[in-house]
Amino acid sequence: MMNTPEKTALVTGANSGIGLALTQKLLAEGYRVIGTSRSGQIADFSHPNLTVVTLDVTNDASIEQAVAAIGHLAPSIDVLVNNAGVGSDLGTLAPERQLLRDTFATNVDGTILFTEPMLPLVRDGGQIVFLSSKMGLPAFAGPDSPAYRVSKAAINMYAAILAERVAERNIAVTPMHPGWVQTRMGGSGAPFTVEESAAGLFRGIKARPESGKFWNVETDSLVA
Ligand SMILES: NC(=O)c1ccc[n+]([C@@H]2O[C@H](COP(=O)([O-])OP(=O)(O)OC[C@H]3O[C@@H](n4cnc5c(N)ncnc54)[C@H](OP(=O)(O)O)[C@@H]3O)[C@@H](O)[C@H]2O)c1
């Protein structure tokens, strides 16, 4: 018989890539997981402690419905993982209006506008993690992927702002670089498997780094 999980995690974009692997890791570690996907389903995977909720972070009505559903399922979330993201202009050089819009709509506006109504559901002493990228850090700047890089830089800043706002509730906020990972976004040539990345992200969650600082899974350490 399976033990009743003591902790609950919420993972957005739980149907694919890093989000799915982290969902599986959290379940294996004894968490109850509420995973979101745009279809409301996760193909080819189920678990007694996994519930799937429909969420498109670019759609206000979808956010409202998802937050209401999550509130009914679990009024106290231990770890909120904002994983959903797109890399619409990865590898391109010149900024282009539609690619900027598409990228920001999910990675910035959508991520922020989903996180805000979720704040009352995150328990005092809990954690909020953002799947960011070191591509959004000035120290790792390159000439390519302007919308993606700027979107991740923006979310790093939002994480720093949020860390200040929720400090009095002892909620730790951490943007994390998951490594370069073999996913639809990362491609098959990436050095990290999704399992390796998920294990690293879980180590980062367990480490509970200083709130507002950027954590790199590749080195299991903060980036100054
Ligand atoms: N792979 C890497 O090397 C790497 C490196 C650094 C950071 N990251 C970050 O890690 C996160 C996960 O990426 P991944 O590599 O696992 O890519 P992925 O396999 O393409 O997964 C992206 C996930 O985000 C979801 N998503 C996209 N737009 C959404 C929206 N509007 N509303 C809700 N969900 C949406 C996708 O849903 P659908 O299946 O419906 O599209 C999918 O579940 C992203 O934030 C990415 O920027 C990845």
Side-chain angles (χ1 to χ4, degrees), residues 18 129-137 140 148 152 155-156 174-181 191-192 196-198 200-204 213-223:
I18 295 167
V129 170
F130 294 94
L131 265 290
S132 182
S133 171
K134 69 180 184 184
M135 288 176 73
L137 294 175
F140 295 92
Y148 185 77
K152 294 303 186 182
I155 221 62
N156 295 340
T174 312
M176 291 192 183
H177 175 65
W180 178 20
V181 190
F192 269 65
E196 287 166 340
S197 178
L201 289 164
F202 187 72
R203 286 195 301 276
K213 304 285 190 210
F214 188 99
W215 182 264
N216 187 354
V217 162
E218 293 169 325
T219 53
D220 285 326
S221 64
L222 288 172
V223 177

Side-chain angles (χ1 to χ4, degrees), residues 13 15-16 18 38 56-57 83-85 132 148 152 179 181 183-184:
N15 60 300
S16 176
I18 295 167
R38 288 198 271 198
D56 180 341
V57 297
N83 165 76
S132 182
Y148 185 77
K152 294 303 186 182
V181 190
T183 65
R184 216 168 53 194

Side-chain angles (χ1 to χ4, degrees), residues 98-110:
Q98 198 57 46
L99 293 177
L100 285 160
R101 279 194 180 142
D102 291 349
T103 305
F104 291 0
T106 297
N107 295 7
V108 184
D109 311 21

